[in-house]
Amino acid sequence: MSAKLLLDSFDRKILDCLQDDSDMPLAEVARRVGLSTTPCWRRIHRLKEEGVIRARVALLDRRAVNAAVTVFVAVRTAQHNAQWLARFAKAVASFPEVMDCYRMSGEIDYLIRLALPDIDAYDAFYKRLIARIELSDVTSMFAMEEIKSTTRLPLSYLS
């Protein structure tokens, strides 16, 4: 995305609508933001081309697909080189259970969020992970309750 991309109030409203429902019909998006369909479509197309809209996806119910257990995995490593990081990133990307993976500051090197059906599935994941990459320490935390989970990004920080 261009660092100098300017988003006006119409763009922000379009993004707000699409974060609510990416399947919203173009005519409805246009009506909500106060544009006719052609200029609205052009803006959506520009937002896609500029990389502001990365993808339009369906959000699935985790229970319906038997992946209701959220596990956070804190990883520490003694390896801090580009080769190890490339191998780690490739390994993590290959696991469908991995929802997010972040390189962290502080005491934890990496934080992984998993979606799984149960503890047995976590154990299987753990064994596959340590078979693929050497780690110094792995700490797992099982979420007991989901207080808030969203894919909606705040738009109030746009300049």
Side-chain angles (χ1 to χ4, degrees):
M1 183 175 96
S2 171
K4 296 185 181 195
L5 180 67
L6 296 175
L7 301 178
D8 65 16
S9 63
F10 289 114
D11 294 327
R12 291 178 184 145
K13 290 176 186 175
I14 289 169
L15 293 172
D16 195 47
C17 286
L18 295 178
Q19 284 196 108
D20 275 342
D21 180 3
S22 70
D23 257 355
M24 187 179 294
L26 176 60
E28 179 62 15
V29 175
R31 184 191 69 73
R32 288 187 185 191
V33 303
L35 292 171
S36 61
T37 56
T38 301
C40 186
W41 178 86
R42 284 189 190 121
R43 285 173 178 269
I44 292 171
H45 186 71
R46 179 180 55 83
L47 291 166
K48 286 180 184 177
E49 286 196 349
E50 292 286 341
V52 176
I53 298 174
R54 293 187 316 166
R56 293 175 78 168
V57 300
L59 299 177
L60 308 180
D61 181 277
R62 293 184 331 193
R63 291 188 189 284
V65 297
N66 196 27
V69 175
T70 300
V71 183
F72 294 93
V73 182
V75 173
R76 291 185 185 146
T77 180
Q79 306 276 332
H80 295 281
N81 59 67
Q83 295 80 15
W84 183 92
L85 176 56
R87 285 188 9 256
F88 176 74
K90 185 177 179 182
V92 168
S94 74
F95 295 119
E97 307 89 337
V98 174
M99 303 304 295
D100 301 295
C101 181
Y102 300 95
R103 188 166 54 89
M104 306 296 289
S105 64
E107 294 183 25
I108 296 168
D109 294 313
Y110 300 91
L111 184 64
I112 303 170
R113 181 175 64 94
L114 305 173
L116 299 161
D118 53 35
I119 292 174
D120 289 339
Y122 170 72
D123 188 46
F125 165 82
Y126 171 81
K127 289 173 182 173
R128 290 190 332 262
L129 178 65
I130 63 171
R132 298 264 317 261
I133 192 91
E134 59 280 358
L135 304 171
S136 296
D137 183 57
V138 177
T139 302
S140 305
M141 298 154 280
F142 289 78
M144 302 299 291
E145 179 182 7
E146 183 177 277
I147 306 296
K148 178 181 179 181
S149 177
T150 185
T151 60
R152 176 180 280 283
L153 293 174
L155 302 177
S156 57
Y157 296 108
L158 289 169
S159 55

